[in-house]
Amino acid sequence: MYKHLIDLNDFTRSEWEEIIHTAVEIEKNPQKYSHACEGKILATLFYEPSTRTRMSFQTAMLRLGGNVIGFDNPDTSSVSKGESVKDTAKIVSGYADIIAMRSAQEGAAYAASMFTDCPVINAGDGGHLHPTQTLTDLLTLTQEVGRLNGLTIGLCGDLKNGRTVHSLIRALSCFENNRFILISTKELSLPPYVKNFMDAYNCCYQEISSLKEAVSQLDVLYMTRIQRERFSSEAEYQAQKHIYILDKEKLTDAKPDMKILHPLPRVDEITDDVDADERAVYFKQAVHGMYVRMSLIMFCLNHSDHRRSAQRPFVLNEQCENPNCITQTETYLPHYFEKNADMLICKYCSQRKLI
Ligand code: CP
């Protein structure tokens, strides 16, 4: 079984720690790794726009001595002629040793991984997950804060649609004594499946609407963009934009060693005058992303996955109810679900349904 990274929970906590440890070593001495992937090819299949994720994957492979192929716009590939995810993934896996894939459809990378002859990395699937951003965030916290436990973390903005938030909360819930302050409007609050995850790990969390009220308690403030492209109408987006803006004035009550992270891109949720504040680490965070992806590429190419073959989702004659699930358009896909108490959970997009 290939070592795919679709959901961060495909890996164990000790595997995350190994990837982060190697990334720290690469940051110290990149030259040592400059031939680590000589002769290997990474394919970047980006069905959705990206700057950081795509380019950091590409430069990661180039800095490891490998090469890169792919598309950054499906309209310039045979996807525009109607080629399925299955066929695209199968064909490209004959050309490349590893694939990084981004899609607006939830579960797309998981679907692709069922048909490839090489590892697949989820580079973001709709509003669902973004595990390599989470590895970036874990490396940033390791390097800039010095620990991954005992933190009070404020997450602010679009917690409903922000896939980076979902992945990060799930990862940090696995480390001891982390507390989450969820700062959003009611309309953009965290989905139930992520709250269920925090409950399962007995994590403390609090939902509030005021950034100003929360800021003095925080070790880490994770700002996010209101994700215009995920709203069903422009009117709904207009009602939510500009609500959370971090500026110098709001930072007056913050701890002197609080760190400000943001997966970027930003629109207006952090004003430019915050950039020079030494607590702002979001530009460093984007650089850490390149190193952690170097480490991840090596890890996936050098390991196989014995756990995956033991997982047995079952097929049901039911359609997932999420309109953005990949099974809605790629109709040949088996309808895989997992059972959890009285819930059916779609294996592609994590949509829950009462049995
Ligand atoms: N953080 C992130 O995913 O950025 P891009 O959309 O530019 O890849």
Side-chain angles (χ1 to χ4, degrees):
M1 297 294 286
Y2 296 107
K3 195 75 176 164
H4 305 291
L5 176 60
I6 306 302
D7 180 329
L8 208 52
N9 292 323
D10 291 335
F11 289 9
T12 62
R13 180 175 147 175
S14 67
E15 288 174 327
W16 307 345
E17 287 168 337
E18 183 182 335
I19 291 164
I20 290 162
H21 174 77
T22 305
V24 170
E25 294 303 306
I26 299 171
E27 285 202 39
K28 282 189 212 153
N29 186 3
Q31 195 54 35
K32 184 176 160 194
Y33 298 86
S34 59
H35 300 286
C37 288
E38 225 158 45
K40 300 288 183 191
I41 294 176
L42 164 76
T44 50
L45 306 186
F46 276 58
Y47 291 71
E48 202 187 34
S50 165
T51 296
R52 274 146 295 275
T53 311
R54 185 173 61 83
M55 290 192 192
S56 64
F57 262 118
Q58 291 175 335
T59 190
M61 190 48 141
L62 294 173
R63 285 166 189 267
L64 292 167
N67 282 297
V68 179
I69 58 169
F71 57 75
D72 57 13
N73 178 352
D75 293 345
T76 61
S77 78
S78 288
V79 174
S80 63
K81 302 172 200 161
E83 189 161 49
S84 65
V85 165
K86 171 185 168 179
D87 286 2
T88 304
K90 181 77 187 162
I91 295 300
V92 172
S93 78
Y95 303 151
D97 300 286
I98 185 164
I99 292 173
M101 178 173 172
R102 169 171 288 190
S103 172
Q105 286 185 287
E106 300 178 9
Y110 178 69
S113 73
M114 290 160 50
F115 305 105
T116 58
D117 300 314
C118 73
V120 174
I121 298 173
N122 182 3
D125 61 333
H128 184 218
L129 297 170
H130 194 350
T132 67
Q133 180 64 49
T134 304
L135 287 172
T136 300
D137 299 341
L138 295 180
L139 176 60
T140 304
L141 293 174
T142 302
Q143 296 286 62
E144 309 299 333
V145 182
R147 64 185 195 280
L148 295 173
N149 55 12
L151 295 169
T152 299
I153 304 128
L155 299 112
C156 178
D158 190 347
L159 307 189
K160 177 183 174 194
N161 299 303
R163 57 194 174 194
T164 64
V165 166
H166 306 167
S167 290
L168 182 60
I169 290 176
R170 292 175 64 184
L172 286 176
S173 297
C174 302
F175 291 85
E176 298 71 31
N177 300 322
N178 287 326
R179 186 164 79 94
F180 300 99
I181 302 189
L182 309 169
I183 309 156
S184 77
T185 60
K186 274 202 179 64
E187 291 80 0
L188 297 183
S189 66
L190 199 69
Y193 85 92
V194 190
K195 289 183 192 162
N196 291 348
F197 200 87
M198 289 189 285
D199 290 335
Y201 279 84
N202 290 321
C203 280
C204 276
Y205 66 90
Q206 181 187 351
E207 292 182 282
I208 66 171
S209 59
S210 165
L211 171 58
K212 199 169 165 47
E213 253 175 56
V215 79
S216 63
Q217 305 174 52
L218 306 177
D219 300 308
V220 176
L221 172 57
Y222 195 91
M223 291 296 295
T224 63
R225 174 175 66 91
I226 307 299
Q227 309 239 322
R228 183 179 202 152
E229 67 276 23
R230 312 260 181 245
F231 281 75
S232 46
S233 76
E234 181 62 18
E236 284 172 81
Y237 169 69
Q238 292 295 333
Q240 296 294 328
K241 70 172 192 183
H242 305 321
I243 292 180
Y244 296 106
I245 296 185
L246 180 68
D247 55 19
K248 280 294 273 183
E249 193 268 321
K250 284 206 188 71
L251 281 174
T252 48
D253 293 334
K255 293 180 186 174
D257 59 350
M258 184 189 82
K259 298 296 180 213
I260 306 161
L261 278 70
H262 190 312
L264 303 178
R266 72 173 150 184
V267 180
D268 60 359
E269 59 279 1
I270 302 180
T271 56
D272 287 334
D273 60 354
V274 176
D275 295 355
D277 191 299
E278 61 185 26
R279 290 169 286 195
V281 297
Y282 33 87
F283 294 127
K284 286 186 188 168
Q285 187 181 355
V287 178
H288 290 309
M290 176 183 71
Y291 290 111
V292 94
R293 289 182 176 103
M294 289 173 77
S295 175
L296 175 65
I297 289 169
M298 291 197 298
F299 187 86
C300 291
L301 288 175
N302 294 331
H303 291 75
S304 53
D305 194 344
H306 304 292
R307 289 197 316 157
R308 209 177 206 227
S309 54
Q311 293 168 355
R312 294 199 188 285
F314 58 92
V315 184
L316 283 179
N317 195 20
E318 300 245 5
Q319 178 63 55
C320 174
E321 290 172 353
N322 174 3
N324 204 28
C325 181
I326 189 73
T327 56
Q328 302 287 354
T329 51
E330 305 284 322
T331 50
Y332 53 85
L333 290 170
H335 294 178
Y336 280 152
F337 292 87
E338 279 174 349
K339 227 182 205 165
N340 187 343
D342 55 352
M343 293 278 189
L344 278 180
I345 304 168
C346 174
K347 188 71 185 131
Y348 298 87
C349 70
S350 309
Q351 175 84 12
R352 276 142 201 268
K353 180 180 179 172
L354 275 173
I355 298 173

